[in-house]
Amino acid sequence: MTIPAETANDIRNRLSAFNDWLGDRTSYRPEEVPAHLAPPSNEERSALEIFEFLRDKPERYFLYISRDKATATTWTGEELGRVAFGRTYRDNFGGERVAITVHAVSGDTYHGTYYKSSGDYARVKKSIKRDTFKMDVEFTDTFGGEANYSWVKRATLTFPVGASDRAIMRAAKQAMGLSAVRGRLDSHGDAFEFRPYRSATVMFVSTVY
């Protein structure tokens, strides 16, 4: 839902007046609100967020993820972009995270992290066009098929934009001492997962944003 600048300005002014009245309080009763304030509805707030997102093209953003629809949205469900999901991994506290790419309604591309186990939200950063890009490589053991990290070998590699998947994997395997090792390779768009045959190990290759 897009709105004209005049409507956005009206919503912004009403929201500002309401926030000034609310002050430090986090809750209120509807009957307390002075009639002249006319606080914006949730739909109006969401429409204002879309308007400002398109206007400002922010470098960083906090948004919500609809996994089933593969969309990024405002908190009320207005679409901010389409989502491509990358590798799922766990943080140091066991939380499940997913690397994502958001093709925003503004025409920009964002990359970031979907905090899957914490809620349907993500933090993203706008992509910057470069001549080269970096990829992090992790090689570790597995337990029950999952990355175990009882030991890990890491490296960061630089590639020219347009480097083929084959060139990336050749360099990553060489960096981990796996040049002659065969295995199963899975691609997740901006990340790779390589599992050597007959070995309880796994190598992750992920784009650095």
Side-chain angles (χ1 to χ4, degrees):
M1 172 177 157
T2 57
I3 55 176
E6 294 79 3
T7 302
N9 192 52
D10 173 67
I11 296 172
R12 193 180 300 109
N13 288 338
R14 286 190 287 126
L15 180 59
S16 178
F18 173 73
N19 287 336
D20 287 343
W21 170 81
L22 188 63
D24 296 331
R25 289 183 295 172
T26 57
S27 63
Y28 64 94
R29 296 192 306 274
E31 59 269 22
E32 293 182 281
V33 182
H36 72 277
L37 286 182
S41 66
N42 289 340
E43 290 74 16
E44 287 179 313
R45 292 177 187 231
S46 185
L48 177 61
E49 181 178 350
I50 293 288
F51 174 86
E52 293 179 339
F53 182 79
L54 291 170
R55 181 196 64 189
D56 300 338
K57 295 179 175 288
E59 292 298 317
R60 298 175 184 271
Y61 215 69
F62 179 96
L63 39 74
Y64 294 85
I65 300 297
S66 172
R67 187 69 188 248
D68 294 339
K69 297 180 180 178
T71 57
T73 71
T74 66
W75 71 282
T76 57
E78 289 287 337
E79 185 174 329
L80 290 169
R82 305 295 299 178
V83 179
F85 297 93
R87 178 171 72 88
T88 299
Y89 60 98
R90 293 190 178 277
D91 60 26
N92 294 334
F93 300 99
E96 194 171 7
R97 301 184 177 190
V98 183
I100 60 170
T101 299
V102 178
H103 301 285
V105 292
S106 62
D108 298 304
T109 300
Y110 290 80
H111 297 282
T113 303
Y114 164 37
Y115 298 86
K116 183 179 179 182
S117 59
S118 302
D120 295 329
Y121 68 91
R123 297 182 187 277
V124 296
K125 181 179 179 181
K126 187 190 294 184
S127 300
I128 300 175
K129 292 184 178 180
R130 297 185 175 95
D131 295 328
T132 62
F133 65 98
K134 295 181 181 294
M135 299 196 80
D136 283 338
V137 184
E138 290 184 339
F139 181 48
T140 187
D141 63 319
T142 62
F143 182 79
E146 297 294 326
N148 190 44
Y149 292 99
S150 66
W151 58 264
V152 61
K153 184 178 181 180
R154 292 187 173 93
T156 299
L157 307 177
T158 301
F159 299 95
V161 171
S164 67
D165 291 355
R166 185 172 182 176
I168 291 171
M169 288 307 302
R170 185 188 304 118
K173 289 175 68 177
Q174 182 178 8
M176 296 296 108
L178 301 173
S179 295
V181 177
R182 297 173 61 83
R184 190 184 81 236
L185 175 65
D186 292 315
S187 175
H188 304 288
D190 58 354
F192 302 91
E193 181 180 307
F194 176 72
R195 292 179 179 266
Y197 293 138
R198 297 179 297 279
S199 174
T201 57
V202 62
M203 180 178 72
F204 300 116
V205 186
S206 307
T207 304
V208 178
Y209 295 109

